[in-house]
């Protein structure tokens, strides 16, 4: 009897130890709409490797690419409620939720990629990052998303007038809807995964995105005319559920922050080469690229700024961006 209870005690102890070990290893699920190999996917994988190494395996990142966990709007809700821990999404679908994210999503707010980097690496970037806490998120990193331009299945676009009456899918943000309206065209916000067939079936004439998305989502197959109007340069956001973040010790939070920062440098390098690679690939496959004069596009954006930059806080952010050299 005594022997038996000793054994039972030992078994219980072993079970408790095992449970302890198991709970000390946390798997963090991360979502991305892009396919494996895309620069944002690779950057989050790199972040995961650094975190795993530096926490001696206590934290690992399980990445679900290709929208396996859902389209961006849905995954934003999932990460806000803590159903998933991490998410890499564009900043634009946050526009209705976090006012500060409207500023970097405004058309022609950045003069160049360098200008954009300076702004998001500086005080305005910190202000935008801090605002994510309002909706239960911690912004770990801004990644590059390049410039978005229009493409369509019908004709080359050489001027604002060429866009008249055309129908474009836009990312899910009112800024984009109003921007397209200001250019005399019609916008339909819809999830990324629905764009290919919407163009193919003629529900829309085209969409707008950077070269890597135009290429990897295969939109180039169904919309051959790409016009380099470069209307927005929206940074990508890599976020963590605040509920998951709050479970980390301050030491682990520092590890996560440093890993995210290092993944930014990695992503920027990958991004620059992917843009060139995708552009060359779509051109070789028959895409026709036009380069319209941007000034008339810029001049048409007044109503978008009037509608979306109303309060003093956002006005000050826009001014700070304009002043940044
Ligand atoms: C891409 C961005 C994605 C997604 C997509 C879209 O440029 O990286 O996160 O937002 O655009 O248009 O839906």
């Amino acid at each position: 009897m005594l022997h038996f209870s000793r054994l039972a005690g030992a078994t219980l102890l072993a079970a408790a130890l095992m449970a302890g070990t198991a709970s000390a290893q946390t798997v963090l699920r991360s979502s991305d709409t892009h396919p494996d190999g895309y620069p944002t996917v690779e950057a989050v994988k790199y972040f995961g490797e650094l975190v795993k190494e530096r926490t001696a395996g206590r934290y690992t990142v399980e990445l679900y690419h290709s929208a396996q966990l859902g389209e961006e709007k849905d995954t934003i809700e999932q990460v806000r409620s803590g159903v998933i821990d991490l998410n890499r999404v564009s900043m634009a679908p946050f526009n209705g939720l976090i006012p500060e994210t409207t500023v970097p999503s405004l058309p022609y707010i950045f003069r160049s990629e360098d200008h954009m980097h300076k702004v998001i690496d500086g005080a305005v970037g910190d202000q935008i990052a801090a605002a994510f806490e309002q909706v239960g998120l911690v912004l770990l990193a801004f990644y590059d998303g390049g410039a978005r331009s229009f493409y369509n299945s019908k004709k080359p676009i050489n001027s604002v007038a060429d866009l008249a009456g055309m129908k474009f899918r836009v990312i899910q943000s009112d800024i984009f809807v109003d921007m397209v309206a200001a250019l005399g065209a019609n916008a339909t916000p819809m999830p990324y995964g629905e764009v290919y067939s919407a163009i193919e079936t003629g529900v829309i004439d085209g969409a707008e995105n950077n070269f890597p998305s135009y290429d990897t989502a295969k939109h180039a197959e169904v919309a051959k005319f790409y016009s380099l109007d470069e209307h927005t340069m929206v940074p990508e956001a890599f976020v963590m559920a605040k509920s998951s973040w709050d479970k980390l010790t301050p030491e682990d939070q520092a590890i996560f922050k440093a890993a995210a920062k290092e993944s930014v440098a990695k992503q920027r390098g990958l991004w620059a080469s992917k843009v060139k690679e995708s552009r060359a690939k779509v051109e070789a496959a028959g895409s026709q690229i036009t380069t319209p004069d941007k000034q008339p596009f810029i001049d048409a954006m007044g109503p978008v700024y009037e509608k979306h930059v109303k309060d003093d806080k956002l006005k000050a952010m826009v001014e700070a961006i304009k002043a940044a050299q």
Side-chain angles (χ1 to χ4, degrees):
M1 203 53 204
L2 182 69
H3 183 64
F4 173 72
S5 68
R6 254 209 221 132
L7 243 184
T11 313
L12 273 178
L13 183 65
L17 280 174
M18 275 173 67
T21 319
S23 67
Q25 285 180 344
T26 306
V27 177
L28 303 169
R29 296 197 305 155
S30 191
S31 171
D32 199 313
T33 197
H34 290 303
D36 204 14
Y38 197 92
T40 52
V41 171
E42 293 310 304
V44 172
K45 278 193 205 162
Y46 182 67
F47 164 83
E49 282 162 22
L50 296 178
V51 161
K52 185 175 175 185
E53 193 182 296
R54 294 172 188 177
T55 62
R58 286 181 291 109
Y59 288 95
T60 51
V61 173
E62 213 164 73
L63 199 143
Y64 293 83
H65 54 74
S66 310
Q68 291 172 70
L69 299 179
E71 297 284 354
E72 285 197 340
K73 278 259 185 189
D74 301 332
T75 61
I76 287 175
E77 290 318 309
Q78 290 178 48
V79 71
R80 285 185 68 196
S81 59
V83 172
I84 56 176
D85 310 282
L86 296 160
N87 201 0
R88 198 297 311 160
V89 276
S90 167
M91 194 83 75
F94 287 106
N95 292 168
L97 276 175
I98 311 172
E100 285 84 345
T101 64
T102 60
V103 177
S105 309
L106 287 164
Y108 300 107
I109 184 81
F110 298 116
R111 294 185 294 270
S112 64
E113 206 150 76
D114 273 356
H115 181 213
M116 183 268 290
H117 285 158
K118 262 185 204 127
V119 168
I120 60 171
D121 293 342
V124 172
D126 291 344
Q127 191 179 349
I128 299 167
F132 276 76
E133 298 231 356
Q134 298 160 16
V135 299
L137 297 173
V138 173
L139 186 116
L140 292 175
F142 293 108
Y143 291 141
D144 276 5
R148 299 175 74 99
S149 291
F150 292 109
Y151 47 84
N152 77 91
S153 63
K154 298 279 156 43
K155 59 177 190 199
I157 303 297
N158 288 301
S159 65
V160 172
D162 288 339
L163 291 169
M166 292 185 83
K167 262 191 251 160
F168 291 95
R169 175 271 178 176
V170 289
I171 196 163
Q172 286 150 300
S173 152
D174 287 350
I175 292 184
F176 280 72
V177 174
D178 295 330
M179 172 190 71
V180 170
L183 292 168
N186 304 303
T188 314
M190 69 171 75
Y192 192 48
E194 293 171 19
V195 179
Y196 182 98
S197 68
I199 300 176
E200 197 182 26
T201 56
V203 172
I204 48 174
D205 299 315
E208 43 86 45
N209 225 313
N210 50 51
F211 279 120
S213 294
Y214 174 59
D215 163 30
T216 60
K218 308 207 182 317
H219 297 172
E221 288 179 4
V222 288
K224 292 275 174 218
F225 302 102
Y226 190 101
S227 119
L228 258 180
D229 54 86
E230 301 186 311
H231 46 255
T232 53
M233 208 179 275
V234 192
E236 309 277 20
F238 178 40
V239 295
M240 184 164 185
K242 178 106 179 24
S243 52
S244 305
W245 174 257
D246 288 341
K247 287 184 198 137
L248 303 178
T249 62
E251 293 76 22
D252 286 341
Q253 288 182 346
I255 290 176
F256 276 54
K257 280 225 160 122
K261 200 167 176 201
E262 288 168 48
S263 75
V264 169
K266 170 102 175 167
Q267 198 267 349
R268 286 184 184 173
L270 291 171
W271 180 256
S273 19
K274 187 71 179 174
V275 171
K276 287 196 194 110
E277 180 199 310
S278 287
R279 181 175 179 164
K281 195 171 145 202
V282 297
E283 278 189 290
S287 278
Q288 200 180 312
I289 300 171
T290 51
T291 310
D293 174 13
K294 279 190 213 164
Q295 198 54 48
F297 287 75
I298 298 171
D299 294 344
M301 292 303 127
V304 182
Y305 278 69
E306 267 156 42
K307 182 168 167 192
H308 294 277
V309 190
K310 280 217 174 95
D311 69 45
D312 289 346
K313 179 173 64 185
L314 300 191
K315 279 185 185 155
M317 288 173 79
V318 168
E319 287 317 312
I321 293 178
K322 284 190 180 153
Q325 285 311 312

